[in-house]
Amino acid sequence: MDKVVQQFLGKIQDVAKQLQQFSGEIEGTEEHIKQALYELDDFTTNLTVSISQNAFGQAILESANMLKQRVHQWVTMIESHLAGKDFINQFEKSVVVTVFGNVNAGKSSLGNFIAGNHPALTQIYKKAPAFYVYDFNNGETGATLLETSEFKEGAIETTASIQYFTLLDGLTWVDTPGIHSINTQNEQLAKKYVDFADLILFLVPSSSPGKADEIEELSRLIEKQKSLLVAITKSDRSLKDEIDGKLVKVEAPKSEQDRQAQQQYLANVLKEKQVHNKIKDAQFTSLSVNLAKQALNKGDQQLFIDSGLSAFYEQIGKVLSSNAIQLKKERPIAQINATIEELVNGFEQMDGLKQIVEQLEQMTQRFSQQQANLYSEKQRIIDTLASKAKLELDVELSLLQQRFNTGQSITSNDIAKVIEKVILKHYQETVQQRLSNLIADIHVSQCNAIQIAMDVEFEKKYDTVQQQHYEVDTITRDPQGFFEHVGAFFGKQYTESKVSSYTTSKKITVGNNFADVLEQSQRELDNQVQQLVEMALKDIEDEYFTKNNHVMKVTIQQLKATVDQLQKLKISAGVMG
């Protein structure tokens, strides 16, 4: 007897150890899921953005705050969703045997026996389990501890209570109300215990086994494929025996023939009521708790076997198998994996992490397209700004020319200021107008100064006029011919006229260098406009696109890391425990 009970308790302890380990792993996985969400929330909450104190910086800050709020709201809703989930419940932390039967079927006495409530079992069980009750008479408020560590026996049941005990943390024995005491108040909880039951134990008394109304009530409660053990209780009889020369009444088990006949009868009734279609398998046994107690009192091994309790321990022990444990793991594993799928891929109207990543990637693509459009617009901005500025440059330089012509000195610095003036006048309006077509919320700051160095100034323009001058001089010459020589002999002098010429130059004012100034000023204007626009676009890229893309990039990386983290938490069947 002791060996049978010890083997039974040993199986329960093995189951408890495995399910406790599994329970810890499930609860650990649940914490890892929550931790991944907390880390994601912390990441976005603490996401810092280096911004400049300008309109671009404000736009980046608003974008980052919107992203933080989006992720935080999502995490908050997910936490609320997780709070409503029971990844592993009390029914899955032990093997559950749910007992049904009428009030006179001996449910309480059998339950107390299995719980070890007999003096002969105390040394084997070591410690009696705690007994709990759900009492619906005053409204169901959760399980409360029974004052006595046993079910009441022999009393006609008038309450709507569901009672249970958990033996060695591995086997939960649930004693439901009598079949006819199940009502609208306690039926939902009774069905929950059926749903999570690893074995449904249906007790019927040997005196009236398988009443039609009891079978129908059982059929109504069972909605899932469950293992059913039908136990015919009180399977004993009174006999007269002679002891010490006296006739006395003794109790003995019913004959094996009678027991087999009753078990076959019940099998036929279940089939007739089509209960067999709702159950996975059905077994039948006959037992007598009263005989088992007598056997323990007398230390009678054979009587204990004849009571049917030895076989009953073995039948209950079969439920404590590795297959049953694996079945206990299926729902929590499926629940964990389904929850991870919900977080990653979304559920109902709630986006998952992948949808949020896709949305952010689409935003990043829009930023990239805007950035590409920005540079494709560069030359048009340069041409437009240069054209507007040059129209005014001509006018402004003409005014400077007039001042110069009146004698005022016009320096290269004066010309540089004119170039700066006409560029700055049209810069903000032109760039803002062109860029606002690309980026709706763009704001281009006013440029207040440009460093321009010119090496040209207004100067007068001169021309040199050359004049030819002639002079006639009378000079003495030698006589020529006979007669002039005769005359020279008598003192006559002969002369001739000699013409000489020379050239003189004269510098005259012919205007000024306006054309040169205009040409160089236009070249400088083109150069300054190009540099200014390129700097503006670079600032927009650095202060708006680069920082926006950084915020998006690191957030997408964190979201994808969270997805990978969650996917790794998925559990494959047979991995845990």
Side-chain angles (χ1 to χ4, degrees), residues 476-477 479 484 487-488 490-495:
T476 303
R477 68 175 178 82
E484 287 185 1
F490 291 101
K492 189 178 178 178
Q493 291 185 335
Y494 294 95
T495 62

Side-chain angles (χ1 to χ4, degrees), residues 202 210-220 222 265-279:
F202 182 42
K211 290 183 179 179
D213 55 348
E214 294 176 351
I215 302 297
E216 289 175 0
E217 188 77 3
L218 179 68
S219 177
R220 186 173 65 83
I222 299 176
Y265 168 75
L266 282 169
N268 294 336
V269 172
L270 292 178
K271 187 173 182 179
E272 180 184 334
K273 297 296 183 180
Q274 297 187 346
V275 176
H276 70 289
N277 294 328
K278 294 186 175 185
I279 59 178

Side-chain angles (χ1 to χ4, degrees), residues 322-375:
S322 58
N323 182 55
I325 295 172
Q326 194 59 40
L327 290 175
K328 299 294 285 187
K329 296 178 180 180
E330 285 182 357
R331 193 205 69 86
I333 290 175
Q335 179 81 318
I336 284 283
N337 291 343
T339 299
I340 291 173
E341 278 297 306
E342 290 177 344
L343 300 181
V344 171
N345 296 310
F347 58 95
E348 297 175 356
Q349 302 301 314
M350 175 65 69
D351 287 336
L353 286 171
K354 283 188 175 180
Q355 284 76 29
I356 296 177
V357 168
E358 288 172 1
Q359 293 164 11
L360 295 184
E361 286 178 338
Q362 289 172 2
M363 290 176 65
T364 302
Q365 289 174 1
R366 287 199 295 272
F367 277 128
S368 298
Q369 186 59 52
Q370 285 181 328
Q371 192 170 357
N373 293 341
L374 184 72
Y375 279 96

Side-chain angles (χ1 to χ4, degrees), residues 515-528:
D516 294 337
V517 171
L518 179 61
E519 182 183 353
Q520 289 192 44
S521 296
Q522 288 180 338
R523 281 202 305 268
E524 184 63 22
L525 183 145
D526 286 336
N527 182 53
Q528 291 293 335

Side-chain angles (χ1 to χ4, degrees), residues 553-571:
K553 182 180 178 180
V554 297
T555 304
I556 289 172
Q557 287 176 342
Q558 183 64 34
L559 290 171
K560 287 183 175 180
T562 303
V563 169
D564 291 341
Q565 190 176 354
L566 291 173
Q567 294 284 24
K568 289 176 182 177
L569 291 175
K570 280 187 176 180
I571 306 167

